[in-house]
Coordinates of all heavy atoms in Angstrom, one line a residue:
K128 N 40.2 -9.6 -12.2 CA 40.1 -10.2 -13.5 C 40.6 -11.6 -13.6 O 40.1 -12.5 -14.3 CB 40.8 -9.3 -14.5 CG 40.6 -9.7 -15.9 CD 41.3 -8.8 -16.9 CE 41.1 -9.2 -18.3 NZ 41.8 -8.3 -19.3
E129 N 41.7 -11.9 -12.8 CA 42.2 -13.2 -12.8 C 41.2 -14.3 -12.3 O 41.1 -15.4 -12.9 CB 43.4 -13.3 -11.8 CG 44.1 -14.7 -11.8 CD 45.2 -14.8 -10.7 OE1 45.4 -13.8 -10.0 OE2 45.8 -15.9 -10.7
T130 N 40.3 -13.9 -11.4 CA 39.3 -14.8 -10.9 C 38.3 -15.1 -12.1 O 37.9 -16.3 -12.3 CB 38.5 -14.2 -9.7 OG1 39.4 -14.1 -8.6 CG2 37.3 -15.1 -9.3
L131 N 37.9 -14.1 -12.8 CA 37.0 -14.3 -13.9 C 37.7 -15.2 -15.0 O 37.0 -16.1 -15.6 CB 36.6 -13.0 -14.5 CG 35.7 -12.1 -13.6 CD1 35.5 -10.7 -14.3 CD2 34.3 -12.7 -13.4
N132 N 39.0 -15.0 -15.2 CA 39.7 -15.8 -16.2 C 39.7 -17.2 -15.7 O 39.6 -18.2 -16.6 CB 41.1 -15.2 -16.4 CG 41.1 -13.9 -17.1 OD1 40.2 -13.6 -17.8 ND2 42.2 -13.1 -16.9
I133 N 40.0 -17.5 -14.4 CA 40.0 -18.8 -13.9 C 38.7 -19.5 -14.1 O 38.6 -20.7 -14.6 CB 40.5 -18.9 -12.5 CG1 42.0 -18.4 -12.4 CG2 40.3 -20.2 -11.8 CD1 42.4 -18.2 -10.9
A134 N 37.6 -18.8 -13.7 CA 36.3 -19.4 -13.8 C 35.9 -19.7 -15.2 O 35.3 -20.7 -15.5 CB 35.2 -18.4 -13.2
N135 N 36.3 -18.9 -16.1 CA 36.1 -19.1 -17.5 C 36.9 -20.3 -18.1 O 36.4 -21.1 -18.8 CB 36.4 -17.8 -18.3 CG 36.2 -17.9 -19.8 OD1 35.0 -18.2 -20.2 ND2 37.2 -17.8 -20.6
D136 N 38.1 -20.4 -17.6 CA 39.1 -21.4 -18.2 C 38.8 -22.8 -17.7 O 38.9 -23.7 -18.4 CB 40.5 -20.9 -17.8 CG 41.5 -21.6 -18.7 OD1 41.2 -22.0 -19.8 OD2 42.7 -21.8 -18.2
Y137 N 38.3 -22.9 -16.4 CA 38.2 -24.2 -15.8 C 36.7 -24.7 -15.9 O 36.4 -25.8 -15.4 CB 38.7 -24.2 -14.4 CG 40.2 -24.1 -14.3 CD1 40.9 -22.9 -14.4 CD2 41.0 -25.3 -14.2 CE1 42.2 -22.8 -14.3 CE2 42.4 -25.2 -14.1 CZ 43.0 -24.0 -14.2 OH 44.4 -23.9 -14.1
L138 N 35.8 -23.9 -16.4 CA 34.4 -24.3 -16.7 C 33.6 -24.4 -15.4 O 32.5 -23.8 -15.3 CB 34.3 -25.6 -17.5 CG 34.7 -25.5 -19.0 CD1 34.3 -26.7 -19.7 CD2 34.1 -24.3 -19.7
V139 N 33.9 -25.3 -14.5 CA 33.1 -25.6 -13.3 C 33.8 -25.1 -12.1 O 34.9 -25.4 -11.8 CB 32.9 -27.2 -13.2 CG1 32.1 -27.5 -12.0 CG2 32.2 -27.7 -14.5
S140 N 33.0 -24.4 -11.2 CA 33.6 -23.9 -10.0 C 32.5 -23.8 -8.9 O 31.3 -24.0 -9.2 CB 34.2 -22.5 -10.2 OG 33.2 -21.6 -10.7
I141 N 32.9 -23.5 -7.7 CA 31.9 -23.5 -6.6 C 32.3 -22.4 -5.6 O 33.5 -22.0 -5.5 CB 31.9 -24.8 -5.8 CG1 30.8 -24.9 -4.7 CG2 33.3 -25.2 -5.2 CD1 30.5 -26.3 -4.2
K142 N 31.3 -21.7 -5.0 CA 31.6 -20.5 -4.2 C 30.8 -20.4 -3.0 O 29.6 -20.8 -3.0 CB 31.5 -19.3 -5.0 CG 30.1 -19.1 -5.7 CD 30.0 -17.7 -6.4 CE 29.8 -16.6 -5.4 NZ 28.5 -16.7 -4.7
G143 N 31.3 -19.9 -1.9 CA 30.5 -19.5 -0.7 C 29.8 -18.2 -0.9 O 30.0 -17.6 -2.0
P144 N 29.2 -17.7 0.1 CA 28.5 -16.4 0.0 C 29.4 -15.2 -0.1 O 30.5 -15.2 0.5 CB 27.6 -16.4 1.3 CG 28.4 -17.2 2.3 CD 29.0 -18.3 1.4
L145 N 29.1 -14.2 -0.9 CA 29.9 -13.1 -1.1 C 29.2 -11.8 -0.6 O 28.0 -11.7 -0.9 CB 30.4 -12.9 -2.5 CG 31.3 -14.0 -3.0 CD1 31.6 -13.8 -4.5 CD2 32.7 -13.9 -2.3

Side-chain angles (χ1 to χ4, degrees):
K128 185 177 180 180
E129 182 186 6
T130 294
L131 293 172
N132 290 339
I133 291 171
N135 181 60
D136 198 25
Y137 288 83
L138 290 188
V139 177
S140 56
I141 187 168
K142 57 175 281 296
L145 291 173

